[in-house]
Amino acid sequence: MGLRLYFCLGHLLALLLLSLLSTPLLLLAANQEKPSNNRCDIFEGSWVFDNSYPLYDASQCPFIDSALNCQNNGRPDTLYLHYKWKPIGCDISRFDGEEFLERNRGKKVMFVGDSLSNNQWQSLGCRLHAAVPNANYTLASRGRITTLFFLEYGVSVMFLKNGFLVSLENRTLRLDTLSGSEEWKGVDVLIFNSYHWWLHTGRLRTWDSYQIGNQTQKDMDVMEAYKIALTTWANWVDSNIDPIKTRVFFQGISTVHYHGAEWNEPGVQDCRGQTKPVEGRITQARSLQEMQW
């Protein structure tokens, strides 16, 4: 039987990122079991069972969309809720929602991207609410931004829907022009994501052409266009972000679950029916250079 897990993205893809947000880098180094050039390689490890998880009950979270609530939508198993990511040679501290709020008093955290970012935002909101269930909060939307604000801590956790990061105007992707970048300024932690929308085809595809400067073209390799767009984004970060004041993360892409050969079921083309993660050592992509270009 295969051991590939059909995870709810809002729960398990958040484990690594949110642990990083709540764990000082010095603490990561201190938790190393074996020294490895004084660094903790958080991208190499395995999923391990921990019965103390999950960190929140989705049925008790007021922020989670119905479409993202696996249990309410009929998923029969619950084993997948009890896994955590364990890097090789070090430990990531368990996420502490109350400590997160205390340490980030008066700060803003913003997720910018597609549904993956939305999942991450909701997961963080649910974790914080579970940690301080009696804390006062407000939930408000303005344009494309939704903000969860914890009044007693002055902490804002925001989601800005922006699947391309660059501008889409009149069905043309302007690869050298960002969309909504003014909203990114003044935020203390920025978590970006962009990939899935670039793969849309047929009726889901929302663009017909690409533009760079005054030049417009119909045909371009989508990965080349994606690379140009991310270069535009990276240049903005370099020019506008003070790394002393603001932390910037790029989530990259979610794991593909379409190749059964990866879990010893070569005839399987999706992960339906799988209830456990791949066993053994897993290496995550460390940089954009490890993606398809």
Side-chain angles (χ1 to χ4, degrees):
M1 178 62 181
L3 293 175
R4 192 62 165 185
L5 178 61
Y6 180 39
F7 283 138
C8 283
L9 291 177
H11 177 71
L12 283 175
L13 288 179
L15 291 177
L16 183 58
L17 176 62
L18 298 184
S19 295
L20 287 175
L21 288 175
S22 63
T23 305
L25 295 181
L26 290 178
L27 182 57
L28 283 175
N31 284 346
Q32 285 185 326
E33 296 167 357
K34 297 179 182 179
S36 177
N37 298 324
N38 295 321
R39 295 184 63 187
C40 173
D41 188 352
I42 59 172
F43 298 98
E44 191 166 5
S46 61
W47 291 105
V48 297
F49 186 83
D50 186 336
N51 203 40
S52 68
Y53 281 71
L55 297 179
Y56 68 88
D57 182 346
S59 67
Q60 301 300 313
C61 180
F63 318 122
I64 192 166
D65 287 346
S66 59
L68 304 180
N69 192 330
C70 296
Q71 295 297 304
N72 278 5
N73 284 309
R75 177 160 182 165
D77 60 302
T78 60
L79 190 66
Y80 70 97
L81 296 171
H82 300 284
Y83 282 87
K84 69 178 182 180
W85 177 253
K86 174 66 172 68
I88 298 296
C90 56
D91 290 313
I92 295 177
S93 297
R94 183 182 176 91
F95 180 77
D96 185 330
E98 186 171 8
E99 189 274 338
F100 178 96
L101 290 167
E102 287 286 359
R103 186 160 51 83
N104 290 288
R105 278 186 177 273
K107 294 185 178 181
K108 298 177 180 179
V109 178
M110 178 181 284
F111 292 85
V112 183
D114 55 27
S115 59
L116 177 60
S117 296
N118 188 15
N119 286 332
Q120 301 288 287
W121 169 74
Q122 290 185 43
S123 182
L124 177 56
C126 291
R127 287 168 179 234
L128 296 176
H129 181 261
V132 288
N134 297 318
N136 293 319
Y137 67 86
T138 60
L139 184 65
S141 296
R142 178 179 59 83
R144 293 185 297 171
I145 299 179
T146 304
T147 301
L148 173 62
F149 180 63
F150 289 88
L151 280 71
E152 288 132 50
Y153 300 91
V155 173
S156 297
V157 183
M158 299 174 283
F159 167 59
L160 171 59
K161 185 177 181 180
N162 188 343
F164 294 113
L165 300 183
V166 294
S167 296
L168 174 63
E169 300 176 5
N170 300 318
R171 296 189 64 86
T172 297
L173 277 171
R174 300 185 61 188
L175 302 179
D176 58 354
T177 304
L178 294 172
S179 171
S181 57
E182 288 300 313
E183 304 283 1
W184 309 344
K185 295 180 179 179
V187 177
D188 300 284
V189 181
L190 285 163
I191 307 105
F192 293 94
N193 159 252
S194 180
Y195 186 75
H196 182 68
W197 286 17
W198 294 86
L199 304 182
H200 286 172
T201 58
R203 62 182 182 83
L204 293 178
R205 180 167 168 149
T206 56
W207 75 97
D208 300 317
S209 59
Y210 305 93
Q211 182 175 335
I212 304 173
N214 294 323
Q215 301 297 315
T216 302
Q217 59 185 90
K218 291 281 187 181
D219 298 317
M220 178 183 290
D221 179 77
V222 69
M223 286 294 98
E224 180 62 25
Y226 179 58
K227 182 177 181 179
I228 294 170
L230 287 194
T231 300
T232 299
W233 164 81
N235 288 337
W236 182 93
V237 171
D238 288 342
S239 300
N240 292 274
I241 295 298
D242 181 349
I244 297 176
K245 297 179 179 179
T246 302
R247 300 183 71 184
V248 177
F249 294 85
F250 186 83
Q251 290 178 257
I253 63 176
S254 58
T255 303
V256 175
H257 304 90
Y258 301 137
H259 309 297
E262 295 178 3
W263 58 93
N264 300 317
E265 290 189 44
V268 174
Q269 299 301 314
D270 57 44
C271 57
R272 283 179 292 181
Q274 306 299 328
T275 59
K276 296 179 181 179
V278 168
E279 291 185 323
R281 191 166 179 163
I282 302 171
T283 300
Q284 308 289 346
R286 292 174 177 79
S287 66
L288 295 179
Q289 284 73 23
E290 293 186 28
M291 297 173 77
Q292 295 186 24
W293 56 74

